[in-house]
Amino acid sequence: MLSETLRQATHPLAQFDGLVLDTADPERAAAFWRGALGGRADGLTVRPGPGRPAREILRLRETATPPPDDARVHVDLRLAGAAPDHLTAAGARMIRPPGEDPWYVLEDPDGTQFCAFPAVDDRPAGMFELVVKCSEPHRLARWWAGVLGGRAVDEVEAAAVVGAPEFPWDFMVFDPVPGIERYRSRTRWHLEARDRDMTTLLAAGAVMRAEPSRSEPWWTLADPGGNEFCVVVPGTA
């Protein structure tokens, strides 16, 4: 159920502002993702290339020992053709080709998993959705629709948020995985919030994990499903 804070909200509580990726080799990972997304370099941040959404941002954060990656949070890309040859040539490793599921599963040079779908009709190539594996997809989709705006769409088992302002891709998908463990994911999302002290997000049901520090100048919160995300206030980071 949605909290009273979300039910009474007339505007999104925060706006999506890209992804944060823990990696042991941020320069190598940034080079790979710049090529994969056709983006441009801004230090260890990959910003969108021509014609791409403004919030398609990937921040590479150096971590001595990144969490193991099982694609609990991952991105899906649409290919320009049938095979991900340009991705494997750039250093991606094939984990699984299409089979019962019609997509490739790959990992970047540092071990971060993602999926790549063969081209379909005239849909543009590039990143098109963020996927979160969780035990309560319908509940989390409604919660995130309340936080980001947009609307929650329920499928038989999965759910998605569509139409959220500033969200750069078609879907934020929540896939059902019963009993999934709650731990820090290598891939997280980055938000900008209106409240400087996170009061509204906490009242809506988020859980505080860490306040800003010298090394991590952002708030770390978790949603009701235990998924961590980073939050800044505009003008502070």
Side-chain angles (χ1 to χ4, degrees):
M1 296 178 63
L2 290 181
S3 70
E4 190 64 25
T5 297
L6 287 179
R7 284 196 294 269
Q8 294 181 358
T10 57
H11 301 285
L13 304 187
Q15 67 181 20
F16 190 90
D17 192 37
L19 301 175
V20 179
L21 176 62
D22 285 347
T23 172
D25 190 342
E27 292 185 359
R28 183 184 185 195
F32 171 81
W33 285 105
R34 282 196 299 271
L37 300 178
R40 57 187 176 85
D42 181 6
L44 295 178
T45 298
V46 178
R47 298 198 178 275
R52 295 299 300 173
R55 301 283 177 167
E56 187 174 272
I57 301 167
L58 184 59
R59 297 171 175 86
L60 287 305
R61 176 179 176 273
E62 185 170 6
T63 306
T65 307
D69 191 46
D70 60 359
R72 184 166 64 95
V73 178
H74 67 272
V75 296
D76 285 350
L77 279 64
R78 188 176 291 117
L79 301 170
D85 295 341
H86 69 295
L87 297 173
T88 54
R93 186 175 73 86
M94 180 75 68
I95 295 178
R96 181 189 62 75
E100 182 177 346
D101 295 321
W103 57 79
Y104 296 88
V105 178
L106 302 103
E107 65 180 21
D108 75 5
D110 199 43
T112 299
Q113 293 188 28
F114 62 98
C115 296
F117 289 65
V120 177
D121 51 54
D122 59 349
R123 298 179 206 177
M127 198 177 291
F128 72 98
E129 65 184 11
L130 175 66
V131 180
V132 183
K133 297 177 182 177
C134 60
S135 58
E136 297 182 280
H138 296 163
R139 177 191 178 205
L140 278 189
R142 289 193 296 272
W143 193 83
W144 277 105
V147 170
L148 296 176
R151 59 191 177 91
V153 177
D154 290 347
E155 299 180 359
V156 176
E157 295 182 337
V161 176
V162 299
E166 303 298 334
F167 189 77
W169 307 303
D170 298 339
F171 310 103
M172 185 176 188
V173 178
F174 297 87
D175 275 344
V177 179
I180 192 165
E181 292 185 34
R182 299 184 180 192
Y183 55 86
R184 186 182 183 95
S185 177
R186 177 184 293 218
T187 301
R188 299 180 303 284
W189 49 99
H190 191 277
L191 306 182
E192 287 188 354
R194 299 199 310 267
D195 292 345
R196 301 187 70 85
D197 59 1
M198 305 297 115
T199 300
T200 306
L201 280 169
L202 294 172
V207 176
M208 178 68 69
R209 290 287 174 83
E211 295 186 5
S213 65
R214 184 182 299 273
S215 61
E216 296 189 346
W218 52 79
W219 302 81
T220 300
L221 305 181
D223 69 14
N227 300 292
E228 288 191 2
F229 56 98
C230 305
V231 189
V232 298
V233 177
T236 63

